[in-house]
Amino acid sequence: MKFNDTLDEIKLYEAGKPIELVVREFGVPKEQVVKLASNENPLGASKRVQDVICAFASRANLYPDDSMYELKEGLAKKFDVASSQIAIGAGSDQILEFVSRALLGKEDSVLMSQVTFAMYEIYAKQMGARVLRTPSYEHKVDEFLELYKKHKPKVIYLCIPNNPTGDAMKKSDAFEIIDAVDKETLIVVDCAYMEYAAYKDSAYKIEPKDILNLPNVIYLGTFSKAYGLGGMRVGYGIANEKIIHNILKMRPPFNISTLSLAAAIEALKDEVHLEETLKLHTEQIKRYEVFAKENGIKYIESYTNFITYLFDEKYNSSDIANKLLQKGVIVRDLASYKLNAIRITIGTEAQNDIFFERLLEVMDLK
Ligand SMILES: *Cc1c(COP(=O)(O)O)cnc(C)c1O
């Protein structure tokens, strides 16, 4: 049996390690494992959302409202857009997949930064498209425009703020790219962490409204990060009706579960939980900056719910990540992105305390 030759080019997505693995392999008691690897909300889903999920358990036999009327209305109100300009996906990941399938073929190329969200490449390669990357891990306007002019890619991915580095493009820089690209190229503005960036500095705030009148830009958002619903798999794309209409042709029926839909609708209403999430994050990420400075570790200024620590040659990031893992602290090693760095999701105060202590131990700074 011969699989599609496009598959030869695809590496499997490397997900954050689960808590169960650390319990199993290193015998760390479950309660002591600290998972700071997948950019999940350390406060969890809000109590209101948990109650709604329980209340909907008895309706697990029913298909969800496939029009997703209430969720779209909620998002439309929040962002001041029309429901017809919104597509809901099983995570914004699924919107990325729809975009890829709706636009890409073997003749096409896509453009992204050197170090960015791994799924852009995977979905593009599933369609046989060629992947182009800028030289720098930061999103640099001139690098994007140079490669754009040379190759005229079909899709450009702007990850703002960027995962896995945590830095962000300013809104004005993003629009320098958007304004220079003609309408034959779709620009995906992936704003999975925009709640954090906008809270930190309004110069980084991009809203769906900003791109709606453009024929070739789609804004992506998710409930997985600031809203604390990673396990429920709900994300969205917002763009003009023509883009939405076309990408929705790729959508399987009932792509969000009944429980996920109810959870997302409630999460959108629970502004208190979002505010608490952002407040805790802002306090705690300062501790990571102070800790790094005190211990001579470089870091990338973060606009997300994680921070990237960069190590000098004295240290090896894979080694550090492994040693942390054995002590029950899960972080993300960025060696596979050719960075001698680890990405740490900002946890609760207690989780962060444990991280700092363990890192000092494994770096022999104690
Ligand atoms: C987490 C993340 C997503 C999407 O996550 P879903 O859980 O699929 O909504 C998209 N882009 C980036 C950059 C992310 O970090």
Side-chain angles (χ1 to χ4, degrees):
M1 183 171 59
K2 170 99 179 69
F3 287 92
N4 287 345
D5 51 14
T6 51
L7 301 194
D8 298 344
E9 300 293 314
I10 300 176
K11 285 200 215 94
L12 285 178
Y13 178 74
E14 174 200 355
K17 295 198 168 57
I19 290 171
E20 293 72 16
L21 176 138
V22 182
V23 174
R24 222 165 41 231
E25 288 196 9
F26 305 110
V28 181
K30 192 163 178 248
E31 320 71 59
Q32 288 174 28
V33 178
V34 174
K35 187 185 182 206
L36 302 175
S38 297
N39 305 338
E40 293 146 331
N41 185 329
L43 293 177
S46 76
K47 177 75 173 58
R48 274 175 63 175
V49 167
Q50 291 182 35
D51 289 346
V52 163
I53 293 172
C54 292
F56 269 74
S58 63
R59 295 199 231 170
N61 60 318
L62 301 177
Y63 282 117
D65 167 13
D66 195 51
S67 74
M68 306 186 203
Y69 176 83
E70 202 178 342
L71 180 57
K72 285 187 183 172
E73 285 293 307
L75 286 166
K77 197 158 147 248
K78 178 182 163 77
F79 291 121
D80 189 19
V81 303
S83 289
S84 54
Q85 295 167 323
I86 302 172
I88 307 293
S92 53
D93 248 291
Q94 196 178 34
I95 306 289
L96 287 167
E97 186 191 352
F98 295 163
V99 163
S100 200
R101 287 170 52 209
L103 283 165
L104 297 176
K106 287 190 173 176
E107 311 303 315
D108 298 311
S109 63
V110 300
L111 174 59
M112 63 192 74
S113 97
Q114 180 64 235
V115 176
T116 192
F117 190 48
M119 292 312 299
Y120 307 150
E121 169 165 336
I122 293 175
Y123 290 128
K125 286 187 169 170
Q126 286 175 358
M127 304 308 297
R130 186 155 79 102
V131 174
L132 307 165
R133 289 179 183 273
T134 62
S136 306
Y137 75 71
E138 302 98 331
H139 284 53
K140 291 194 171 158
V141 176
D142 52 344
E143 291 181 4
F144 268 91
L145 290 183
E146 192 182 324
L147 285 163
Y148 162 70
K149 283 174 192 146
K150 197 160 159 204
H151 300 281
K152 291 287 162 103
K154 191 78 174 278
V155 179
I156 298 177
Y157 297 92
L158 300 180
C159 191
I160 311 173
N162 190 37
N163 179 15
T165 50
D167 61 318
M169 262 194 133
K170 277 209 177 93
K171 179 179 174 181
S172 52
D173 288 342
F175 273 83
E176 235 185 275
I177 295 178
I178 291 169
D179 292 339
V181 168
D182 75 36
K183 62 181 192 322
E184 299 308 310
T185 295
L186 179 76
I187 302 175
V188 176
V189 184
D190 184 350
C191 294
Y193 302 93
M194 185 47 72
E195 290 86 355
Y196 298 93
Y199 193 76
K200 175 170 168 147
D201 184 343
S202 60
Y204 292 82
K205 182 176 183 178
I206 298 177
E207 294 176 281
K209 252 194 326 198
D210 301 331
I211 55 96
L212 267 191
N213 58 347
L214 300 166
N216 63 326
V217 186
I218 184 167
Y219 177 104
L220 304 190
T222 181
F223 286 91
S224 298
K225 311 286 161 53
Y227 286 95
L229 294 184
M232 299 308 286
R233 315 301 305 120
V234 189
Y236 50 90
I238 304 180
N240 74 61
E241 271 108 8
K242 192 173 165 203
I243 295 176
I244 296 300
H245 179 73
N246 278 295
I247 67 169
L248 282 179
K249 293 181 181 175
M250 300 300 157
R251 187 179 73 90
F254 310 115
N255 59 325
I256 303 296
S257 79
T258 301
L259 298 184
S260 301
L261 195 54
I265 290 165
E266 191 64 23
L268 210 48
K269 294 179 188 157
D270 193 352
E271 284 167 10
V272 174
H273 188 254
L274 180 62
E275 185 65 26
E276 279 172 7
T277 296
L278 295 170
K279 253 174 72 186
L280 171 75
H281 168 77
T282 307
E283 285 161 22
Q284 294 300 314
I285 198 166
K286 284 201 191 96
R287 299 181 64 211
Y288 277 82
E289 295 167 355
V290 170
F291 177 89
K293 284 175 193 149
E294 280 175 0
N295 292 289
I297 302 166
K298 286 211 189 81
Y299 63 89
I300 299 174
E301 170 89 13
S302 168
Y303 293 83
T304 59
N305 65 349
F306 58 86
I307 192 165
T308 295
Y309 276 6
L310 300 160
F311 299 109
D312 57 35
E313 351 35 282
K314 220 175 108 199
Y315 295 101
N316 175 291
S317 65
S318 306
D319 200 41
I320 288 178
N322 274 330
K323 286 181 175 157
L324 286 171
L325 195 64
Q326 287 168 27
K327 292 172 181 279
V329 176
I330 319 175
V331 299
R332 191 65 177 265
D333 175 25
L334 299 185
S336 63
Y337 294 89
K338 301 191 197 93
L339 290 178
N340 188 24
I342 58 172
R343 186 192 74 185
I344 313 118
T345 306
I346 310 303
T348 60
E349 182 175 7
Q351 289 177 319
N352 300 331
D353 285 341
I354 295 172
F355 169 80
F356 294 138
E357 202 167 303
R358 298 288 174 267
L359 186 64
L360 290 177
E361 289 165 15
V362 307
M363 290 179 77
D364 265 330
L365 293 170
K366 213 171 174 176

